[in-house]
Amino acid sequence: MLDDRAAGNPLQSIATEFAIDRRTTLKGAAAVTAVGILLGDHAHARSIGAPLHPVVPEPNRAVVRTTINGQPFHLTIDARASLLDVLREELDLTGAKKGCDHGQCGACTVHVDGLRVASCLTFAAKVDGREVTTIEGIGSDGELHVMQQAFIDHDALQCGYCTPGQIMAAIACVNEGHTNSPDEIREFMSGNICRCGAYPGIVAAISDAATRMRRG
């Protein structure tokens, strides 16, 4: 009899529905409370300076086997490192200079497999299995390279900061066959900036060295 009355009583039906909703709500509230406690502990740890022990992955490493100035190297390096930084910081080959560090001034020019590159924009990992030549490696038997001597003969430098990159680019310019006229030399050397303005001497030095390099 009671069940029949309850079944026919709208208020009883509402109470029954409310009871179900209330149980669901209590369960949800318990979960929220637990999360709040956890978050509260986390915030408290931050507020008192306690370490949170984040998981920090080790930097990516790369194994590079390369030849630099005729000498073989087996290097384990940061995969993100530039060729310029590895040459200067890891191998103490400081001839290549860090100028703009954006590939716009040419002070860091080196050769990779005989081609000129901006070493500040070249990943060191990219030279695996390749041959790198820097300003330190262009002479032979204690003799200056023809281009180095030409720069001296034609006074093609002042402060000298850009000179290693200028010389490496100039050698490549000759090897590429772009020294047929002063204008052509200027065009194909335009990626190398001399802040001292020694451009007339640089063009003269390249023209002179190109003639001697062709003979050799």
Side-chain angles (χ1 to χ4, degrees):
M1 191 68 174
L2 181 61
D3 293 339
D4 291 341
R5 284 197 302 272
N9 189 339
L11 294 177
Q12 183 66 34
S13 298
I14 294 172
T16 302
E17 291 175 5
F18 175 79
I20 294 172
D21 291 343
R22 183 171 178 273
R23 283 194 296 270
T24 303
T25 302
L26 288 174
K27 289 179 182 179
V32 170
T33 301
V35 171
I37 291 172
L38 291 175
L39 291 176
D41 289 344
H42 182 81
H44 178 65
R46 293 185 62 183
S47 67
I48 63 175
L52 300 179
H53 304 295
V55 178
V56 180
E58 290 294 321
N60 291 330
R61 309 296 288 175
V63 176
V64 176
R65 293 175 177 85
T66 183
T67 300
I68 302 175
N69 298 332
Q71 182 180 350
F73 284 87
H74 183 177
L75 307 170
T76 301
I77 60 171
D78 188 326
R80 300 163 296 181
S82 70
L83 177 58
L84 177 62
D85 284 342
V86 169
L87 290 173
R88 292 180 58 84
E89 307 299 333
E90 303 286 340
L91 303 178
D92 200 29
L93 294 170
T94 57
K97 298 297 189 285
K98 182 172 284 194
C100 66
D101 211 24
H102 287 80
Q104 297 178 353
C105 74
C108 67
T109 303
V110 301
H111 295 174
V112 176
D113 289 343
L115 302 176
R116 52 176 153 174
V117 302
S119 59
C120 72
L121 296 184
T122 303
F123 282 117
K126 289 289 188 179
V127 302
D128 184 42
R130 305 174 76 178
E131 184 171 349
V132 178
T133 305
T134 72
I135 190 71
E136 291 90 346
I138 63 173
S140 61
D141 300 325
E143 297 288 333
L144 292 176
H145 188 279
V146 170
M147 190 64 73
Q148 289 174 304
Q149 188 61 55
F151 266 63
I152 295 172
D153 294 342
H154 292 273
D155 198 22
L157 62 152
Q158 289 189 38
C159 77
Y161 194 85
C162 75
T163 304
Q166 295 278 2
I167 290 174
M168 296 305 292
I171 293 171
C173 191
V174 174
N175 292 337
E176 294 161 5
H178 297 308
T179 57
N180 297 305
S181 69
D183 285 342
E184 187 176 31
I185 291 172
R186 293 187 189 97
E187 175 67 23
F188 285 90
M189 289 293 295
S190 60
N192 288 73
I193 296 172
C194 174
R195 289 175 173 83
C196 298
Y199 296 115
I202 290 171
V203 173
I206 295 172
S207 296
D208 184 12
T211 302
R212 289 188 273 171
M213 288 171 68
R214 292 193 194 103
R215 290 173 186 166

